[in-house]
Amino acid sequence: MSSNINLIDSFQEFKEFKNIDRPTVITVLEEVFRSMIRKRFGTDENVDVIVNPDNGDLEIWRTRVVMEDGFSEDDDLEIELAEAHQYDPDLEVGDDYIEQITLESFGRRAILAARQTLVSKVLELEKDEVFKKYKDREGELVIGEVYQIWKKEILVLDEDGNELLLPKTEQIPADYFKKGDSIRAVVHKVDMMNSNPKIIISRTAPEFLQRLFELEVPEIFDGLITIKKIVREPGERAKVAVESYDDRIDPVGACVGMKGSRIHGIVRELRNENIDVINFTTNSSLYITRALSPARITSIKIDEENKTAAVYLKPDQVSLAIGRGGHNIKLAGKLTGYEIDVYRENDEVEEDVDIEEFSDEIDSWIIDELKRVGLDSAKSVLALSHEELVRRTDLEEDTIQEIVRILASEFE
């Protein structure tokens, strides 16, 4: 029975380590054995295969109809009376002759082939199980161990030894890992490549930040606070819009925690990424104002049709609104859905006028003189004092006064 034991031991090994459910295991084993039976007997219609997945016991029973001598047309389905009497003298024509088929009767070569088929099918099933498991977990947080580090990606193993890939493009720029380090990420994309599951994980996806908030903020996990939207420049800045359905809960305060206790852990995980948590609102003007935090806005003009917003700030607030590398205003635009333009509060909004436009009121030789010293627009002239204009040009002071009067009237 050694051949029998070898095949069943293979089954026990894969059943133990591959996490395949019992009904599936039985189905696979039956198919392997039935394939062996078809090769040997030509059919498995009259064969019962009984597998006990708990202890590895296997029984194969073959049933043939007893026929009168000389009348059997298919020896795989029928047996003649004389041959049947060799095994059971009490059998009569029309009875079923049932015999047990042992594994060793198939021969060593057939058993080795069956074992290889079993290994192959189990591996295929395992790959399918891993694919289904992670396909259903897209967007969920996973924890793994760094197994190997390459130039363009990191190989991570989960608790079951499944391979996960963290590409360089899905890593935070400041990420640094060594072999054996524990790593947290979200399942980003799951595909089947050449019959092998390819599981891509990410630390730059907005979902990663959302899962971290769910871990750190019980109110989010419980559904008392909802994250409406997250936008990120990984490793630099993130903006998170939150809303509470309970008036007694301050969503921003709950997310930040006492003295920043809740958000500090998230910031550390994201390699000191700046995180702005803001109250979500359907009021576009207020939403944009909050989104441009920490800058203080003076006024906003919104064009709803074109989804643009002109934001006016005091000069010292402009750099805050734009942020380092333009990240703040870029993320604010993504968060609110508006294209945001920033203006200093005291910026002139009137357009300048070319000096040639005043040719009907100012003599051409005077216009030529102004242009000779680089004064080719109305504002460039008005920006200088009378004394400076007289000094730069060969014009009389009375002429200069008249020119300034004409030009200034254009902007009144």
Side-chain angles (χ1 to χ4, degrees):
M1 293 291 290
S2 60
S3 296
N4 191 352
I5 292 172
N6 285 339
L7 187 58
I8 300 304
D9 282 350
S10 297
F11 152 60
Q12 292 286 23
E13 174 188 341
F14 282 96
K15 181 174 76 71
E16 181 178 353
F17 294 110
K18 296 297 181 178
N19 298 320
I20 301 173
D21 63 88
R22 185 171 300 182
T24 304
V25 169
I26 294 174
T27 301
V28 171
L29 284 167
E30 285 188 2
E31 181 53 38
V32 170
F33 296 135
R34 286 188 177 277
S35 177
M36 293 172 63
I37 292 165
R38 285 192 294 271
K39 286 180 181 179
R40 180 177 173 186
F41 299 115
T43 182
D44 64 343
E45 295 177 14
N46 57 333
V47 177
D48 291 319
V49 178
I50 303 171
V51 180
N52 186 331
D54 295 323
N55 56 23
D57 285 346
L58 166 70
E59 293 181 3
I60 302 176
W61 297 94
R62 183 185 183 207
T63 303
R64 288 186 289 171
V65 178
V66 178
M67 305 291 290
E68 286 189 21
D69 294 341
F71 284 89
S72 175
E73 297 179 357
D74 188 343
D75 290 341
D76 291 323
L77 299 174
E78 300 167 344
I79 185 172
E80 292 186 353
L81 185 61
E83 184 183 351
H85 278 169
Q86 294 178 15
Y87 307 108
D88 187 349
D90 296 330
L91 288 173
E92 298 178 359
V93 173
D95 289 345
D96 286 338
Y97 169 64
I98 302 173
E99 62 179 322
Q100 184 172 10
I101 308 297
T102 59
L103 267 184
E104 54 265 272
S105 68
F106 287 90
R108 180 175 178 80
R109 183 174 295 180
I111 292 173
L112 289 175
R115 186 184 191 281
Q116 187 58 42
T117 302
L118 176 60
V119 170
S120 176
K121 285 184 176 292
V122 169
L123 287 176
E124 285 180 15
L125 280 171
E126 175 63 12
K127 291 174 183 178
D128 287 341
E129 287 297 317
V130 171
F131 175 78
K132 290 175 186 175
K133 171 185 174 182
Y134 276 97
K135 193 65 177 176
D136 291 340
R137 294 187 64 188
E138 283 186 345
E140 289 186 16
L141 190 70
V142 290
I143 301 175
E145 181 180 305
V146 175
Y147 182 73
Q148 198 163 356
I149 300 172
W150 298 305
K151 186 176 181 180
K152 293 184 178 180
E153 59 190 5
I154 294 176
L155 177 62
V156 180
L157 299 183
D158 70 5
E159 57 184 5
D160 296 322
N162 297 313
E163 296 183 352
L164 317 174
L165 290 174
L166 178 62
K168 194 73 176 176
T169 53
E170 301 299 328
Q171 298 172 35
I172 297 170
D175 273 344
Y176 175 76
F177 298 104
K178 305 186 299 295
K179 181 178 172 63
D181 284 352
S182 179
I183 191 169
R184 291 200 287 183
V186 290
V187 180
H188 183 56
K189 190 177 181 183
V190 182
D191 290 316
M192 217 46 163
M193 304 286 288
N194 299 322
S195 300
N196 290 308
K198 185 177 182 181
I199 305 159
I200 304 296
I201 57 177
S202 173
R203 288 171 52 81
T204 62
E207 291 84 2
F208 181 51
L209 179 51
Q210 180 167 344
R211 299 296 169 253
L212 294 177
F213 266 105
E214 290 170 357
L215 283 178
E216 296 290 339
V217 184
E219 292 87 347
I220 293 178
F221 184 81
D222 294 336
L224 298 174
I225 295 175
T226 300
I227 295 177
K228 302 295 288 186
K229 191 172 183 179
I230 295 177
V231 290
R232 291 180 67 192
E233 287 289 332
E236 294 289 341
R237 197 177 200 104
K239 289 186 180 289
V240 184
V242 294
E243 185 178 32
S244 172
Y245 298 114
D246 189 333
D247 294 338
R248 297 169 296 178
I249 297 176
D250 170 20
V252 174
C255 291
V256 174
M258 187 74 68
K259 297 182 178 179
S261 58
R262 289 177 171 177
I263 207 167
H264 279 167
I266 300 174
V267 171
R268 282 195 300 271
E269 180 69 45
L270 300 184
R271 311 302 187 196
N272 294 319
E273 187 173 306
N274 266 318
I275 303 175
D276 298 327
V277 184
I278 67 171
N279 261 319
F280 175 79
T281 176
T282 54
N283 183 323
S284 299
S285 178
L286 181 57
Y287 196 27
I288 294 170
T289 299
R290 291 172 177 174
L292 283 171
S293 171
R296 294 189 299 275
I297 312 303
T298 301
S299 61
I300 298 179
K301 294 179 181 177
I302 294 178
D303 182 346
E304 289 290 356
E305 184 177 346
N306 297 309
K307 284 290 180 180
T308 60
V311 177
Y312 296 87
L313 313 93
K314 291 183 178 179
D316 63 340
Q317 296 296 306
V318 172
S319 60
L320 286 174
I322 295 172
R324 188 177 65 179
H327 293 311
N328 197 56
I329 192 169
K330 181 179 178 181
L331 290 177
K334 287 182 178 180
L335 189 72
T336 60
Y338 286 83
E339 184 180 335
I340 302 173
D341 293 315
V342 171
Y343 299 95
R344 286 178 174 82
E345 190 179 17
N346 60 352
D347 278 354
E348 295 287 353
V349 295
E350 300 91 352
E351 293 184 2
D352 205 351
V353 182
D354 193 286
I355 197 72
E356 293 279 359
E357 297 290 325
F358 299 90
S359 58
D360 57 339
E361 297 179 79
I362 302 174
D363 292 340
S364 59
W365 67 271
I366 296 176
I367 291 176
D368 291 340
E369 179 63 18
L370 291 171
K371 292 174 69 176
R372 183 185 67 80
V373 296
L375 303 175
D376 56 359
S377 70
K379 286 188 178 180
S380 65
V381 175
L382 294 174
L384 300 176
S385 65
H386 287 197
E387 292 77 18
E388 183 66 11
L389 289 170
V390 170
R391 188 183 67 78
R392 288 194 186 188
T393 66
D394 290 334
L395 302 175
E396 298 290 336
E397 185 171 351
D398 289 346
T399 304
I400 293 295
Q401 288 178 353
E402 181 62 16
I403 293 170
V404 169
R405 184 191 66 76
I406 293 170
L407 299 180
S409 64
E410 178 67 23
F411 300 103
E412 289 177 354

